[in-house]
Amino acid sequence: QKIKPTNIKTTSIKQQTMIELKTNTLIPQGANRMFKMFKEGALDEWREFRDDIAKEYGQLNKDCQQFKNWLMMQQRIKEGEIRKQVRTYERELTSNDCVFKLNESIRNKIPSAKSLIGYYQSRPKLTEYTLTTELSRMEYTVWTAEGKKLTSPSEILSYHTKIAAESRDNGDLLWRCANQSILGDAIAALTSEDGLIRPQLQAGTFTDDVSIVVDLGCSNPYVRAECLLNVSIPDKNGERIQLACAIVSVYFCPNRQEFHARVSQVFPVKY
């Protein structure tokens, strides 16, 4: 809030300028008045004002240095706390009950099969996404209604085109979920302050070796997906440090309204 000087006519040039020094009007007006002091020959007043300004800025520099020291101390405290959290994180990843706790978290947090069915029913374009984007970059195995095993992208695409043209029940809901989106709920369930992926430490993930099985040949068709989930955190230089990787799998069977996910193993990275 600006300070409005009073009795401006009775105050000296120096007093007016000092008042404005406390506000945000010093640069355009205070500088002009300092120049006016010098021009009018008020050298004693100008020198006194200059000394006062030097004292003010000296104190300001001192305060700034103290604040800088305080910030550095807070940073060291923060770094110490982060190191402690990272050590706890690493220790918990190697504990005997780590996998059990992660799977318990998944069971408590993943959505029901019914809600997952509703999600994919409302997104018919995901079939095209599976066939045109994911099919060529992940490992797929498709069991046909006749019991034939297909593994090459061209074979799988030709099979889907054929059954779609014949207007057969091609398990379209399964084609919609047969991509990395099926892993999303499991990864979300593993994300928490004490989970596999810890936001407070800016933990990040990426997946390797994703494999998907679409079985249309059994009485209750299903999709099963498995991946290697890599977990990393940033170091003080902003580089990513890999802490662990985990094998995560999901199973989805719309006919039986079953949706399961689990972590089978966790591999802490040792340096």
Side-chain angles (χ1 to χ4, degrees):
Q1 184 178 358
K2 292 184 179 181
I3 302 173
K4 296 182 178 180
T6 57
N7 300 324
I8 198 73
K9 292 182 180 179
T10 61
T11 58
S12 68
I13 295 175
K14 173 190 168 184
Q15 289 172 324
Q16 293 177 38
T17 309
M18 289 300 293
I19 290 171
E20 289 169 358
L21 181 63
K22 305 298 183 181
T23 71
N24 57 4
T25 63
L26 173 64
I27 293 176
Q29 296 182 28
N32 288 337
R33 289 180 179 175
M34 287 178 67
F35 178 72
K36 187 176 180 181
M37 285 182 199
F38 190 82
K39 186 177 179 181
E40 292 178 353
L43 296 182
D44 290 340
E45 191 172 5
W46 182 86
R47 290 191 186 98
E48 185 181 353
F49 176 72
R50 180 197 61 189
D51 292 343
D52 289 345
I53 288 291
K55 289 179 183 178
E56 292 247 355
Y57 275 97
Q59 183 61 43
L60 180 62
N61 286 332
K62 184 178 178 181
D63 292 343
C64 286
Q65 185 60 46
Q66 290 176 347
F67 183 62
K68 183 179 178 182
N69 293 340
W70 179 83
L71 284 178
M72 291 175 65
M73 182 181 68
Q74 294 301 311
Q75 182 65 24
R76 286 194 293 269
I77 292 172
K78 182 179 179 181
E79 288 175 355
E81 290 174 349
I82 291 175
R83 280 196 294 271
K84 187 184 297 183
Q85 290 180 34
V86 171
R87 297 292 175 264
T88 301
Y89 194 4
E90 292 174 327
R91 186 171 61 252
E92 291 176 353
L93 289 175
T94 59
S95 66
N96 294 330
D97 60 350
C98 174
V99 171
F100 173 80
K101 288 182 177 179
L102 294 176
N103 285 325
E104 186 176 38
S105 178
I106 289 175
R107 284 191 295 271
N108 292 334
K109 294 179 180 179
I110 61 170
S112 65
K114 185 177 180 180
S115 65
L116 203 65
I117 290 170
Y119 174 85
Y120 286 112
Q121 282 178 337
S122 65
R123 288 164 174 80
K125 291 184 178 180
L126 281 175
T127 297
E128 182 181 357
Y129 174 75
T130 296
L131 297 171
T132 61
T133 303
E134 300 283 68
L135 188 58
S136 60
R137 66 182 187 183
M138 295 191 299
E139 180 183 328
Y140 278 83
T141 299
V142 174
W143 291 94
T144 70
E146 297 76 24
K148 184 179 179 180
K149 181 181 179 181
L150 306 177
T151 56
S152 78
S154 58
E155 285 181 327
I156 295 171
L157 188 58
S158 296
Y159 174 70
H160 182 272
T161 302
K162 177 184 175 182
I163 59 179
E166 294 174 353
S167 299
R168 291 163 54 182
D169 181 9
N170 60 355
D172 190 59
L173 197 67
L174 296 181
W175 294 102
R176 296 181 194 183
C177 71
N179 51 63
Q180 291 195 66
S181 68
I182 194 69
L183 296 163
D185 290 307
I187 294 173
L190 293 169
T191 304
S192 67
E193 290 191 356
D194 58 353
L196 178 65
I197 307 158
R198 304 193 178 185
Q200 73 271 26
L201 294 176
Q202 299 179 41
T205 63
F206 66 92
T207 57
D208 277 334
D209 301 325
V210 180
S211 61
I212 294 181
V213 175
V214 182
D215 192 340
L216 304 173
C218 61
S219 56
N220 293 296
Y222 65 84
V223 166
R224 178 180 288 115
E226 185 177 83
C227 74
L228 187 66
L229 186 66
N230 298 276
V231 182
S232 65
I233 60 172
D235 64 13
K236 64 180 181 180
N237 299 317
E239 301 292 330
R240 304 298 300 187
I241 302 173
Q242 187 173 357
L243 280 188
C245 55
I247 298 176
V248 180
S249 60
V250 299
Y251 170 87
F252 179 44
C253 179
N255 286 359
R256 299 177 63 177
Q257 293 201 5
E258 291 185 7
F259 177 49
H260 309 296
R262 66 185 295 265
V263 174
S264 55
Q265 282 182 286
V266 175
F267 306 97
V269 177
K270 296 182 180 180
Y271 294 94

